[in-house]
Amino acid sequence: RPSSLAVLADFPSVPFFQTPLKKTNALIAQMGITFLNAYVPSALCCPSRASILTGKYPHNHHVVNNTLEGNCSSKLWQKIQEPHTFPALLKTMCGYQTFFAGKYLNEYGAEDAGGVGHVPPGWSFWYALEKNSKYYNYTLSVNGKARRHGENYSVDYLTDVLANMSLDFLEYKSNFEPFFMMISTPAPHSPWTAAPQYTKSFQNVSAPRNSNFNIHGKNKHWLIRQAKTPMTNSSIQFLDDAYRKRWQTLLSVDDLIEKLVKKLELNGELDNTYIFYTSDNGFHTGQFSLPIDKRQLYEFDIKVPLLVRGPGIKPNQTNKMLVANIDLGPTILDIAGYDLNKTQMDGMSLLPLLVRDKNVTWRSDFLVEYQGEGYNGSDPTCPGLGPGVTHCFPDCVCEDSYNNTYACVRTLSTSWDLQYCEFDDREVFVEVYNLTADPHQINNIAKTIDQEILEKMNYRLMMLQSCSGATCRTPGVFDPGYRFDPRLMFSNHGVRARRFSARSL
């Protein structure tokens, strides 16, 4: 049976020839397939990683933010979801030896959740970072035992440590069982600490100046409208520095990819191994005058790279189908020969797309959902913004709030490239974008788009917010098989009340 290797780097989606990952481009993209429309259902680390592991939307795995209270690596997550992740099925049901190295979930290792002694079911070899992203001075759980690392580059720089652990696994693993590896580099997450040899790289690189850079987010949700436009020179310098440092940290990820591919080739296993490269969220740097962060509904935050090479995949392909990170678990289980009907996953196997099955029918939409972080109180440094804001930069530009809670249908079909979003707040604010005419999502057309389309999208959103398993894969609004019964919108089904929330945990 084929083996699988997944590399997860925290990198936004830009055309791959424009990235610092030159080796990754040559060794994976050019040797396989690049998905041009790959997305995450929640643009934040912990909910997104939970979706990868479970194959489920956030409203089904109930991880809503990066805190223990938001179910991030909580006791409840460990009890309800971890036993059913795709690595657990790979190990127990498919006979795979499994290896994890890197950042797991943001609150992994918290004392209230079992500390680093907790090793999730499904992993034969476990090298997980305690808590969130670091490059030096961190603790790893090595199969449940704490191992402290300091600040000596040659033995402690985390990206290189993960590479060396991965190479050791490939050297000493059993040759009688298929294997699955998941390598989850924090790079290029903050604090953006590059390896010493790369700290001078990309001195002339700055954040992209697309048409939505440093403009006011008019006709958008109040959190976007509050950003100061134009940004101060200090904010622009800060985001450019961050962008440059992120690229610098990725050079070590590029080295990691090269080492792993060479080792697989040396072992004679490269041709029988699927390699996936992706990320858990996008990132913005100055779009709509928001300095740096993610967790917004726009393309720059929800779109991610997805590259795959492996058996049966022809080189140098691109694919425009709408895919999501909830598809990764089903895909890898499908590769392993597991019956996907036995799972409760919301995603679809990408295997037919990888091997160019001409008879495959595919989705035309998927769900994006996020529950804002923050508390129902005012920030003393930004009293004018009202209650609940958080992740605030200088000039009181805040990236999140407790009512930054929204759900969207992202549609991509032969006739429509559309995003429809509703906010769960007092305004019940709606944002709609036609990405064919407006790829940078500058113009909210919610008040001008055809009313019938609005009603259908609202209904479809309610259906997706309450979906589970196979019902998450029903035809979208612009599929020939779609059926719209407007009477259901006014029934007492209570679908709208099933919005994901902390109260449902």
Side-chain angles (χ1 to χ4, degrees), residues 68-116:
L68 275 178
E69 295 75 19
N71 207 26
C72 181
S73 206
S74 68
K75 287 284 191 181
L76 187 65
W77 156 265
Q78 295 171 17
K79 178 181 178 181
I80 304 297
Q81 301 297 339
E82 277 188 344
H84 306 290
T85 61
F86 79 85
L89 294 173
L90 275 181
K91 185 173 187 290
T92 59
M93 306 303 294
C94 304
Y96 274 63
Q97 49 192 323
T98 55
F99 170 93
F100 181 87
K103 177 181 173 180
Y104 179 56
L105 301 176
N106 297 54
E107 287 295 326
Y108 173 75
E111 287 303 316
D112 291 347
V116 296

Short mmCIF file of all heavy atoms in Angstrom, two decimals, residues 68-116:
data_model
loop_
_atom_site.label_atom_id
_atom_site.label_comp_id
_atom_site.label_asym_id
_atom_site.label_seq_id
_atom_site.Cartn_x
_atom_site.Cartn_y
_atom_site.Cartn_z
N LEU A 68 -8.41 26.97 25.36
CA LEU A 68 -8.98 25.76 25.95
C LEU A 68 -10.50 25.87 26.04
O LEU A 68 -11.23 24.91 25.80
CB LEU A 68 -8.40 25.51 27.35
CG LEU A 68 -7.07 24.76 27.44
CD1 LEU A 68 -6.64 24.66 28.90
CD2 LEU A 68 -7.17 23.37 26.82
N GLU A 69 -10.98 27.08 26.39
CA GLU A 69 -12.42 27.31 26.48
C GLU A 69 -13.09 27.15 25.11
O GLU A 69 -14.26 26.79 25.02
CB GLU A 69 -12.70 28.71 27.03
CG GLU A 69 -12.25 28.93 28.46
CD GLU A 69 -10.74 29.11 28.60
OE1 GLU A 69 -10.07 29.42 27.58
OE2 GLU A 69 -10.21 28.91 29.72
N GLY A 70 -12.34 27.40 24.06
CA GLY A 70 -12.83 27.22 22.71
C GLY A 70 -12.61 25.80 22.19
O GLY A 70 -12.74 25.56 20.99
N ASN A 71 -12.27 24.88 23.11
CA ASN A 71 -12.14 23.44 22.82
C ASN A 71 -10.83 23.08 22.14
O ASN A 71 -10.68 21.98 21.59
CB ASN A 71 -13.32 22.93 21.98
CG ASN A 71 -13.58 21.45 22.19
OD1 ASN A 71 -13.26 20.89 23.23
ND2 ASN A 71 -14.15 20.81 21.19
N CYS A 72 -9.85 23.98 22.17
CA CYS A 72 -8.56 23.72 21.53
C CYS A 72 -7.73 22.79 22.42
O CYS A 72 -7.22 23.21 23.47
CB CYS A 72 -7.81 25.03 21.28
SG CYS A 72 -6.21 24.80 20.47
N SER A 73 -7.63 21.54 22.03
CA SER A 73 -6.87 20.52 22.76
C SER A 73 -7.41 20.29 24.17
O SER A 73 -6.67 19.88 25.07
CB SER A 73 -5.37 20.87 22.82
OG SER A 73 -4.60 19.71 22.95
N SER A 74 -8.68 20.54 24.37
CA SER A 74 -9.30 20.41 25.68
C SER A 74 -9.54 18.94 26.01
O SER A 74 -9.39 18.05 25.17
CB SER A 74 -10.64 21.14 25.70
OG SER A 74 -11.57 20.48 24.85
N LYS A 75 -9.94 18.66 27.23
CA LYS A 75 -10.31 17.31 27.64
C LYS A 75 -11.47 16.78 26.79
O LYS A 75 -11.52 15.59 26.45
CB LYS A 75 -10.69 17.29 29.12
CG LYS A 75 -9.51 17.45 30.08
CD LYS A 75 -8.72 16.15 30.18
CE LYS A 75 -7.72 16.21 31.32
NZ LYS A 75 -6.92 14.95 31.40
N LEU A 76 -12.41 17.69 26.46
CA LEU A 76 -13.55 17.28 25.64
C LEU A 76 -13.10 16.89 24.24
O LEU A 76 -13.55 15.88 23.69
CB LEU A 76 -14.57 18.41 25.58
CG LEU A 76 -15.90 18.08 24.89
CD1 LEU A 76 -16.67 17.03 25.67
CD2 LEU A 76 -16.75 19.34 24.72
N TRP A 77 -12.22 17.69 23.64
CA TRP A 77 -11.65 17.34 22.33
C TRP A 77 -10.97 15.98 22.40
O TRP A 77 -11.16 15.13 21.53
CB TRP A 77 -10.66 18.42 21.89
CG TRP A 77 -9.63 17.95 20.91
CD1 TRP A 77 -8.36 17.51 21.20
CD2 TRP A 77 -9.76 17.84 19.49
NE1 TRP A 77 -7.69 17.14 20.06
CE2 TRP A 77 -8.53 17.34 19.00
CE3 TRP A 77 -10.78 18.12 18.59
CZ2 TRP A 77 -8.30 17.11 17.64
CZ3 TRP A 77 -10.56 17.89 17.24
CH2 TRP A 77 -9.34 17.39 16.77
N GLN A 78 -10.18 15.76 23.46
CA GLN A 78 -9.46 14.51 23.59
C GLN A 78 -10.40 13.32 23.70
O GLN A 78 -10.15 12.24 23.15
CB GLN A 78 -8.53 14.56 24.81
CG GLN A 78 -7.41 15.58 24.68
CD GLN A 78 -6.65 15.78 25.98
OE1 GLN A 78 -6.72 14.95 26.89
NE2 GLN A 78 -5.91 16.88 26.08
N LYS A 79 -11.50 13.51 24.37
CA LYS A 79 -12.44 12.41 24.61
C LYS A 79 -13.32 12.14 23.38
O LYS A 79 -13.53 10.97 23.01
CB LYS A 79 -13.32 12.74 25.81
CG LYS A 79 -14.38 11.69 26.12
CD LYS A 79 -15.24 12.10 27.32
CE LYS A 79 -16.33 11.07 27.60
NZ LYS A 79 -17.19 11.48 28.75
N ILE A 80 -13.83 13.21 22.76
CA ILE A 80 -14.85 13.05 21.73
C ILE A 80 -14.26 12.91 20.32
O ILE A 80 -14.71 12.09 19.52
CB ILE A 80 -15.85 14.22 21.75
CG1 ILE A 80 -16.49 14.36 23.14
CG2 ILE A 80 -16.92 14.06 20.68
CD1 ILE A 80 -17.30 13.15 23.56
N GLN A 81 -13.24 13.73 20.01
CA GLN A 81 -12.76 13.79 18.63
C GLN A 81 -11.48 13.01 18.36
O GLN A 81 -11.35 12.36 17.32
CB GLN A 81 -12.56 15.26 18.22
CG GLN A 81 -13.81 16.12 18.31
CD GLN A 81 -14.92 15.67 17.37
OE1 GLN A 81 -14.69 14.99 16.38
NE2 GLN A 81 -16.15 16.05 17.69
N GLU A 82 -10.52 13.07 19.28
CA GLU A 82 -9.21 12.47 18.99
C GLU A 82 -9.26 10.98 18.61
O GLU A 82 -8.52 10.55 17.72
CB GLU A 82 -8.25 12.68 20.16
CG GLU A 82 -7.58 14.03 20.13
CD GLU A 82 -6.49 14.19 21.16
OE1 GLU A 82 -6.42 13.39 22.12
OE2 GLU A 82 -5.69 15.14 21.03
N PRO A 83 -10.12 10.17 19.24
CA PRO A 83 -10.14 8.75 18.86
C PRO A 83 -10.60 8.49 17.44
O PRO A 83 -10.41 7.38 16.92
CB PRO A 83 -11.12 8.13 19.87
CG PRO A 83 -11.15 9.07 21.02
CD PRO A 83 -10.99 10.43 20.41
N HIS A 84 -11.19 9.50 16.78
CA HIS A 84 -11.76 9.31 15.45
C HIS A 84 -11.04 10.12 14.37
O HIS A 84 -11.55 10.27 13.26
CB HIS A 84 -13.24 9.67 15.46
CG HIS A 84 -14.02 8.93 16.52
ND1 HIS A 84 -14.28 7.58 16.44
CD2 HIS A 84 -14.54 9.35 17.70
CE1 HIS A 84 -14.95 7.19 17.52
NE2 HIS A 84 -15.12 8.25 18.29
N THR A 85 -9.86 10.65 14.69
CA THR A 85 -9.09 11.36 13.68
C THR A 85 -8.59 10.38 12.63
O THR A 85 -8.51 9.17 12.87
CB THR A 85 -7.89 12.09 14.30
OG1 THR A 85 -7.03 11.12 14.91
CG2 THR A 85 -8.35 13.13 15.33
N PHE A 86 -8.21 10.90 11.47
CA PHE A 86 -7.77 9.97 10.42
C PHE A 86 -6.46 9.25 10.79
O PHE A 86 -6.29 8.08 10.41
CB PHE A 86 -7.69 10.67 9.05
CG PHE A 86 -6.47 11.52 8.81
CD1 PHE A 86 -5.28 10.95 8.35
CD2 PHE A 86 -6.50 12.88 9.02
CE1 PHE A 86 -4.16 11.72 8.10
CE2 PHE A 86 -5.38 13.66 8.78
CZ PHE A 86 -4.20 13.09 8.33
N PRO A 87 -5.50 9.86 11.54
CA PRO A 87 -4.33 9.07 11.93
C PRO A 87 -4.70 7.89 12.84
O PRO A 87 -4.07 6.83 12.75
CB PRO A 87 -3.45 10.09 12.65
CG PRO A 87 -3.88 11.41 12.14
CD PRO A 87 -5.35 11.28 11.93
N ALA A 88 -5.70 8.09 13.72
CA ALA A 88 -6.12 7.00 14.59
C ALA A 88 -6.68 5.84 13.77
O ALA A 88 -6.40 4.66 14.05
CB ALA A 88 -7.17 7.50 15.59
N LEU A 89 -7.44 6.16 12.73
CA LEU A 89 -7.97 5.11 11.85
C LEU A 89 -6.87 4.47 11.03
O LEU A 89 -6.87 3.25 10.81
CB LEU A 89 -9.05 5.70 10.94
CG LEU A 89 -10.32 6.19 11.63
CD1 LEU A 89 -11.24 6.89 10.64
CD2 LEU A 89 -11.06 5.04 12.30
N LEU A 90 -5.92 5.27 10.58
CA LEU A 90 -4.79 4.72 9.81
C LEU A 90 -4.03 3.68 10.63
O LEU A 90 -3.65 2.62 10.12
CB LEU A 90 -3.82 5.83 9.41
CG LEU A 90 -4.08 6.63 8.14
CD1 LEU A 90 -2.97 7.66 7.96
CD2 LEU A 90 -4.18 5.74 6.91
N LYS A 91 -3.81 4.00 11.89
CA LYS A 91 -3.00 3.12 12.73
C LYS A 91 -3.78 1.87 13.15
O LYS A 91 -3.28 0.75 13.03
CB LYS A 91 -2.52 3.87 13.98
CG LYS A 91 -1.58 3.08 14.88
CD LYS A 91 -1.02 3.97 15.99
CE LYS A 91 0.05 3.25 16.80
NZ LYS A 91 -0.50 2.17 17.62
N THR A 92 -5.00 2.07 13.65
CA THR A 92 -5.73 0.94 14.23
C THR A 92 -6.44 0.08 13.18
O THR A 92 -6.54 -1.14 13.35
CB THR A 92 -6.78 1.44 15.25
OG1 THR A 92 -7.69 2.33 14.58
CG2 THR A 92 -6.11 2.17 16.40
N MET A 93 -6.92 0.70 12.11
CA MET A 93 -7.73 -0.03 11.14
C MET A 93 -6.96 -0.39 9.86
O MET A 93 -7.34 -1.33 9.17
CB MET A 93 -8.97 0.78 10.76
CG MET A 93 -9.81 1.23 11.94
SD MET A 93 -10.38 -0.13 12.99
CE MET A 93 -11.49 -0.98 11.86
N CYS A 94 -5.90 0.36 9.56
CA CYS A 94 -5.19 0.14 8.30
C CYS A 94 -3.77 -0.37 8.49
O CYS A 94 -3.08 -0.64 7.49
CB CYS A 94 -5.16 1.44 7.48
SG CYS A 94 -6.79 2.15 7.16
N GLY A 95 -3.31 -0.47 9.73
CA GLY A 95 -1.99 -1.03 9.99
C GLY A 95 -0.82 -0.14 9.62
O GLY A 95 0.28 -0.64 9.35
N TYR A 96 -1.04 1.18 9.62
CA TYR A 96 0.05 2.12 9.31
C TYR A 96 0.86 2.44 10.56
O TYR A 96 0.30 2.55 11.66
CB TYR A 96 -0.51 3.42 8.73
CG TYR A 96 -0.73 3.38 7.24
CD1 TYR A 96 -1.64 2.50 6.66
CD2 TYR A 96 -0.01 4.22 6.39
CE1 TYR A 96 -1.84 2.47 5.29
CE2 TYR A 96 -0.22 4.20 5.02
CZ TYR A 96 -1.13 3.32 4.48
OH TYR A 96 -1.32 3.29 3.12
N GLN A 97 2.18 2.61 10.39
CA GLN A 97 2.98 3.23 11.44
C GLN A 97 2.91 4.74 11.20
O GLN A 97 3.04 5.21 10.07
CB GLN A 97 4.41 2.72 11.41
CG GLN A 97 5.07 2.74 10.06
CD GLN A 97 6.38 1.97 10.02
OE1 GLN A 97 7.15 1.98 10.98
NE2 GLN A 97 6.63 1.30 8.91
N THR A 98 2.66 5.49 12.25
CA THR A 98 2.36 6.92 12.12
C THR A 98 3.35 7.76 12.91
O THR A 98 3.77 7.39 14.01
CB THR A 98 0.94 7.22 12.60
OG1 THR A 98 0.79 6.74 13.94
CG2 THR A 98 -0.09 6.53 11.72
N PHE A 99 3.70 8.90 12.35
CA PHE A 99 4.74 9.77 12.92
C PHE A 99 4.24 11.21 12.89
O PHE A 99 3.76 11.69 11.85
CB PHE A 99 6.01 9.63 12.09
CG PHE A 99 7.09 10.63 12.40
CD1 PHE A 99 8.09 10.34 13.32
CD2 PHE A 99 7.13 11.86 11.75
CE1 PHE A 99 9.10 11.25 13.58
CE2 PHE A 99 8.13 12.78 12.02
CZ PHE A 99 9.12 12.47 12.93
N PHE A 100 4.33 11.90 14.03
CA PHE A 100 3.98 13.32 14.07
C PHE A 100 5.15 14.11 14.63
O PHE A 100 5.77 13.72 15.63
CB PHE A 100 2.76 13.58 14.96
CG PHE A 100 2.37 15.04 15.01
CD1 PHE A 100 1.52 15.57 14.06
CD2 PHE A 100 2.91 15.88 15.98
CE1 PHE A 100 1.21 16.93 14.07
CE2 PHE A 100 2.59 17.24 16.00
CZ PHE A 100 1.74 17.76 15.04
N ALA A 101 5.44 15.26 14.00
CA ALA A 101 6.48 16.15 14.52
C ALA A 101 6.06 17.59 14.28
O ALA A 101 5.72 17.97 13.16
CB ALA A 101 7.82 15.87 13.84
N GLY A 102 6.07 18.41 15.35
CA GLY A 102 5.82 19.83 15.19
C GLY A 102 4.67 20.36 16.01
O GLY A 102 4.33 19.81 17.06
N LYS A 103 4.07 21.42 15.51
CA LYS A 103 2.96 22.07 16.19
C LYS A 103 1.68 21.27 15.98
O LYS A 103 1.28 21.01 14.85
CB LYS A 103 2.78 23.49 15.65
CG LYS A 103 1.59 24.24 16.23
CD LYS A 103 1.49 25.63 15.62
CE LYS A 103 0.21 26.34 16.05
NZ LYS A 103 0.09 27.69 15.47
N TYR A 104 1.04 20.88 17.08
CA TYR A 104 -0.20 20.10 17.01
C TYR A 104 -1.38 21.05 17.09
O TYR A 104 -1.85 21.57 16.09
CB TYR A 104 -0.20 19.07 18.14
CG TYR A 104 -1.43 18.19 18.22
CD1 TYR A 104 -1.84 17.44 17.14
CD2 TYR A 104 -2.16 18.11 19.41
CE1 TYR A 104 -2.97 16.62 17.22
CE2 TYR A 104 -3.28 17.29 19.50
CZ TYR A 104 -3.69 16.55 18.40
OH TYR A 104 -4.80 15.75 18.50
N LEU A 105 -1.88 21.32 18.28
CA LEU A 105 -2.93 22.31 18.52
C LEU A 105 -2.40 23.34 19.51
O LEU A 105 -1.58 23.01 20.38
CB LEU A 105 -4.19 21.63 19.06
CG LEU A 105 -4.81 20.55 18.18
CD1 LEU A 105 -6.00 19.90 18.88
CD2 LEU A 105 -5.24 21.12 16.83
N ASN A 106 -2.85 24.57 19.42
CA ASN A 106 -2.24 25.68 20.15
C ASN A 106 -2.16 25.47 21.65
O ASN A 106 -1.23 25.94 22.29
CB ASN A 106 -3.00 26.98 19.86
CG ASN A 106 -2.93 27.38 18.41
OD1 ASN A 106 -3.26 26.59 17.52
ND2 ASN A 106 -2.49 28.60 18.14
N GLU A 107 -3.12 24.79 22.23
CA GLU A 107 -3.12 24.58 23.68
C GLU A 107 -2.62 23.19 24.07
O GLU A 107 -2.75 22.79 25.23
CB GLU A 107 -4.52 24.81 24.26
CG GLU A 107 -4.94 26.27 24.32
CD GLU A 107 -4.08 27.09 25.27
OE1 GLU A 107 -3.64 26.54 26.30
OE2 GLU A 107 -3.84 28.27 24.99
N TYR A 108 -2.02 22.47 23.12
CA TYR A 108 -1.47 21.17 23.47
C TYR A 108 -0.41 21.33 24.56
O TYR A 108 0.45 22.21 24.49
CB TYR A 108 -0.85 20.46 22.27
CG TYR A 108 -0.13 19.20 22.69
CD1 TYR A 108 -0.86 18.07 23.03
CD2 TYR A 108 1.25 19.17 22.84
CE1 TYR A 108 -0.22 16.92 23.49
CE2 TYR A 108 1.89 18.04 23.29
CZ TYR A 108 1.15 16.91 23.62
OH TYR A 108 1.79 15.78 24.09
N GLY A 109 -0.47 20.47 25.56
CA GLY A 109 0.50 20.53 26.66
C GLY A 109 0.03 21.33 27.85
O GLY A 109 0.71 21.37 28.88
N ALA A 110 -1.13 21.99 27.73
CA ALA A 110 -1.66 22.76 28.87
C ALA A 110 -1.92 21.81 30.05
O ALA A 110 -2.40 20.69 29.88
CB ALA A 110 -2.96 23.46 28.47
N GLU A 111 -1.58 22.28 31.24
CA GLU A 111 -1.73 21.43 32.43
C GLU A 111 -3.17 20.98 32.63
O GLU A 111 -3.43 19.85 33.04
CB GLU A 111 -1.23 22.19 33.67
CG GLU A 111 0.29 22.32 33.72
CD GLU A 111 1.00 20.98 33.68
OE1 GLU A 111 0.56 20.04 34.39
OE2 GLU A 111 1.98 20.85 32.91
N ASP A 112 -4.12 21.88 32.33
CA ASP A 112 -5.53 21.54 32.50
C ASP A 112 -6.02 20.51 31.50
O ASP A 112 -7.16 20.05 31.58
CB ASP A 112 -6.40 22.80 32.39
CG ASP A 112 -6.20 23.75 33.56
OD1 ASP A 112 -5.59 23.32 34.56
OD2 ASP A 112 -6.63 24.91 33.46
N ALA A 113 -5.18 20.16 30.54
CA ALA A 113 -5.57 19.18 29.52
C ALA A 113 -4.60 18.00 29.47
O ALA A 113 -4.45 17.36 28.45
CB ALA A 113 -5.65 19.86 28.16
N GLY A 114 -3.94 17.75 30.59
CA GLY A 114 -3.09 16.57 30.67
C GLY A 114 -1.62 16.80 30.44
O GLY A 114 -0.82 15.86 30.54
N GLY A 115 -1.22 18.04 30.15
CA GLY A 115 0.20 18.33 29.95
C GLY A 115 0.78 17.61 28.75
O GLY A 115 0.06 17.01 27.94
N VAL A 116 2.13 17.63 28.64
CA VAL A 116 2.79 17.00 27.50
C VAL A 116 2.80 15.48 27.64
O VAL A 116 3.20 14.77 26.71
CB VAL A 116 4.23 17.53 27.33
CG1 VAL A 116 4.22 19.00 26.98
CG2 VAL A 116 5.07 17.25 28.56
#
